Amino acid sequence: MEHIDDYDMLDKDLEGSLRYARECYAAEAEEIANDESRDWSERIRADAELVHAKMTKAEKKKQYQMNTRNKELNEIFISLEWPLFEKLDAADGYIARMFKECSAMNIPPSMYKPFILEKVKDMIDQIAEKRETLDKQRPNQKEGVVTNASMRSRRRLQGN
């Protein structure tokens, strides 16, 4: 194997080789996507490759950013999912108890369900307002600086 001193030439050769391989695979991908005897996973992968091949560089960059953000959102949600689930489960228990007590008092569901749900929404708004007020009262917290408290607050905001 010969030694290559010109790395720019190597990059161009590599880009050309990749482009050629993608073009060859695109032809094969179209054939796989249309072949109904193939596995669904193969056909879906081939179809995705065809869509990717037709995208512009800007569209690919935007798609990459969206995928990255979706992954980050998912990681944030997963990190707090269980504690949130437990709290919502407890809240559901309270609401179910309210519903049972209203039924026991012979109040029709068409009357108590909207009433209780409106009260719960109002409580959520009050909690959000309280959090916003507390956030404004912290003078030492600079705008844009991420602290543990601001991260918790942001996570809570995302849940509402």
Side-chain angles (χ1 to χ4, degrees):
M1 183 172 197
E2 67 184 72
H3 180 73
I4 300 175
D5 290 326
D6 189 358
Y7 289 104
D8 289 333
M9 182 63 100
L10 177 66
D11 286 342
K12 288 178 185 174
D13 287 346
L14 183 61
E15 282 180 33
S17 297
L18 287 173
R19 194 175 315 111
Y20 176 73
R22 283 201 174 115
E23 288 170 4
C24 290
Y25 183 72
E28 185 180 331
E30 192 164 348
E31 182 181 317
I32 292 171
N34 294 328
D35 185 1
E36 293 183 13
S37 66
R38 296 278 188 152
D39 214 5
W40 269 109
S41 59
E42 286 181 284
R43 293 177 65 196
I44 291 170
R45 169 80 175 130
D47 199 38
E49 184 66 32
L50 289 171
V51 169
H52 183 75
K54 293 176 184 174
M55 293 172 72
T56 65
K57 195 171 189 174
E59 290 172 330
K60 289 177 185 177
K61 183 177 180 180
K62 187 175 180 180
Q63 182 68 38
Y64 174 78
Q65 289 172 339
M66 289 294 292
N67 290 345
T68 303
R69 288 184 182 135
N70 285 338
K71 182 180 176 187
E72 290 169 353
L73 283 171
N74 196 38
E75 288 173 1
I76 290 167
F77 184 80
I78 287 172
S79 70
L80 296 167
E81 183 176 15
W82 183 248
L84 178 62
F85 182 85
E86 288 179 331
K87 299 289 184 184
L88 291 174
D89 190 36
D92 179 62
Y94 287 118
I95 293 170
R97 194 165 125 196
M98 287 179 206
F99 283 5
K100 285 179 185 177
E101 289 183 17
C102 289
S103 290
M105 300 301 285
N106 292 324
I107 301 171
S110 61
M111 189 173 182
Y112 70 75
K113 284 184 179 181
F115 176 82
I116 291 173
L117 294 177
E118 186 61 37
K119 292 292 186 179
V120 169
K121 287 178 187 177
D122 186 46
M123 281 192 268
I124 291 170
D125 288 341
Q126 289 175 24
I127 292 167
E129 287 173 10
K130 179 182 171 185
R131 182 187 57 251
E132 290 169 1
T133 303
L134 289 174
D135 286 346
K136 288 178 183 176
Q137 290 176 353
R138 295 183 187 139
N140 60 349
Q141 187 174 343
K142 296 180 182 177
E143 191 72 28
V145 176
V146 178
T147 62
N148 287 340
S150 67
M151 282 301 292
R152 283 192 301 273
S153 177
R154 287 181 187 169
R155 288 179 182 148
R156 278 190 237 123
L157 275 175
Q158 290 172 351
N160 290 338

